């Protein structure tokens, strides 16, 4: 079945460091790919998405490129801030029209130190 | 943008009671909504798919008699945790079809 694998955390970085959180997926066809962020005590917020191969999603300095050949969607940010501390979830939505039934990775906790 | 709300955001109840959680799509119609459960420090697990006007579809291992889902209108789905027990304590999150947005979640604590 479809699945998402994320790198295990926690990831601890100093402010202004470069961030990469790896995400690979297994799916039939061409799923849509997402990154969600969850701040402490809050629900999920959509961070960025990509719906087809080679698409690059970007938001708030975060980027991820849909790589069909490597079935990956790694999250990157050039310079993290303390406010980026959160749990990041990679997710996919199988190619079904009109619905968003998500399959999530286990989440990667990021802690950014001042 | 599309907004999904949940009510209540927090609920504490005694063991054996039932708790109802509402999920509303505020500015769009959703024929399908999804209910997820999140355990502490873990990922979201899909519990069931809520279909307007028909029965919900439950994922393997989820007790349909325990977690009653009603999707009575195009903007409202409810999840009722019946005869709740401490092991049902969790964070319940809904999402709506046609939108990549999730509700803010409902934290349930069963004493």
């Amino acid at each position: 079945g479809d699945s998402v694998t994320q790198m295990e955390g926690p990831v601890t970085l100093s402010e202004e460091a470069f961030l990469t959180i790896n995400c690979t997926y297994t799916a039939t066809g061409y799923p849509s790919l997402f990154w969600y962020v969850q701040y402490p005590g809050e629900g999920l917020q959509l961070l960025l998405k990509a719906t087809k191969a080679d698409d690059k999603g970007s938001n708030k300095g975060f980027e991820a490129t849909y790589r069909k050949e490597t079935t990956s969607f790694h999250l990157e940010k050039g310079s993290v801030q303390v406010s980026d501390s959160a749990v990041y979830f990679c997710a996919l939505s199988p190619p079904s029209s009109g619905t968003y039934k998500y399959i999530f990775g286990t989440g990667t906790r990021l802690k950014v130190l001042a | 943008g599309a907004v999904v709300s949940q009510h209540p955001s927090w609920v504490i109840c005694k063991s054996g009671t039932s708790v109802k959680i509402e999920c509303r799509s505020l500015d769009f119609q959703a024929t399908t909504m999804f209910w997820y459960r999140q355990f502490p420090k873990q990922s979201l697990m899909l519990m069931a798919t809520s279909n307007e006007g028909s029965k919900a579809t439950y994922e393997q291992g989820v007790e349909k008699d325990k977690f009653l889902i009603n999707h009575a209108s195009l903007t409202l789905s409810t999840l009722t945790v019946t005869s709740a027990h401490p092991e049902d304590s969790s964070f319940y999150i809904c999402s709506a079809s046609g939108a990549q947005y999730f509700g803010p979640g409902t934290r349930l604590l069963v004493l």
Side-chain angles (χ1 to χ4, degrees):
Chain A
D2 297 343
S3 66
V4 175
T5 302
Q6 278 182 247
M7 62 185 291
E8 289 190 18
V11 174
T12 303
L13 296 173
S14 297
E15 207 166 22
E16 299 183 3
F18 185 86
L19 168 70
T20 299
I21 300 177
N22 291 337
C23 171
T24 57
Y25 67 91
T26 302
T28 303
Y30 294 86
S32 295
L33 301 175
F34 306 86
W35 277 100
Y36 280 83
V37 58
Q38 186 178 35
Y39 297 101
E42 299 183 14
L44 273 72
Q45 299 178 29
L46 177 64
L47 182 59
L48 54 85
K49 66 177 181 178
T51 57
K52 60 183 187 295
D54 299 326
D55 266 3
K56 177 185 283 188
S58 62
N59 185 27
K60 299 180 181 179
F62 291 90
E63 291 185 342
T65 301
Y66 190 145
R67 302 288 189 196
K68 181 66 176 177
E69 64 277 11
T70 54
T71 62
S72 65
F73 193 55
H74 304 322
L75 182 68
E76 297 181 335
K77 186 175 185 181
S79 176
V80 294
Q81 305 299 313
V82 173
S83 57
D84 294 327
S85 299
V87 181
Y88 292 81
F89 291 94
C90 184
L92 70 81
S93 179
S96 302
S97 61
T99 63
Y100 285 92
K101 182 178 179 179
Y102 290 83
I103 296 169
F104 285 88
T106 53
T108 302
R109 185 175 300 274
L110 170 66
K111 184 174 183 180
V112 180
L113 305 176
Chain B
V3 177
V4 177
S5 71
Q6 281 185 242
H7 177 79
S9 56
W10 260 102
V11 58
I12 301 173
C13 68
K14 294 182 179 180
S15 185
T17 61
S18 294
V19 175
K20 179 184 285 186
I21 302 169
E22 294 184 348
C23 176
R24 294 181 184 273
S25 55
L26 296 184
D27 55 1
F28 65 101
Q29 294 182 330
T31 56
T32 304
M33 292 183 175
F34 302 98
W35 286 97
Y36 296 82
R37 183 175 181 178
Q38 185 181 29
F39 292 99
K41 299 185 179 181
Q42 294 188 28
S43 185
L44 281 74
M45 299 301 295
L46 180 65
M47 298 175 64
T49 302
S50 172
N51 303 298
E52 189 269 333
S54 64
K55 292 183 178 180
T57 305
Y58 290 83
E59 297 298 303
Q60 189 174 6
V62 178
E63 300 176 59
K64 62 180 180 181
D65 295 329
K66 173 76 172 178
F67 300 99
L68 300 178
I69 292 173
N70 183 25
H71 196 150
S73 77
L74 289 171
T75 60
L76 174 64
S77 174
T78 60
L79 169 68
T80 301
V81 183
T82 63
S83 186
H85 288 91
E87 59 266 29
D88 298 323
S89 299
S90 192
F91 196 47
Y92 293 88
I93 303 174
C94 70
S95 71
S97 66
Q100 297 135 33
Y101 296 93
F102 287 75
T106 297
R107 194 168 297 281
L108 170 63
L109 177 61
V110 184
L111 303 178

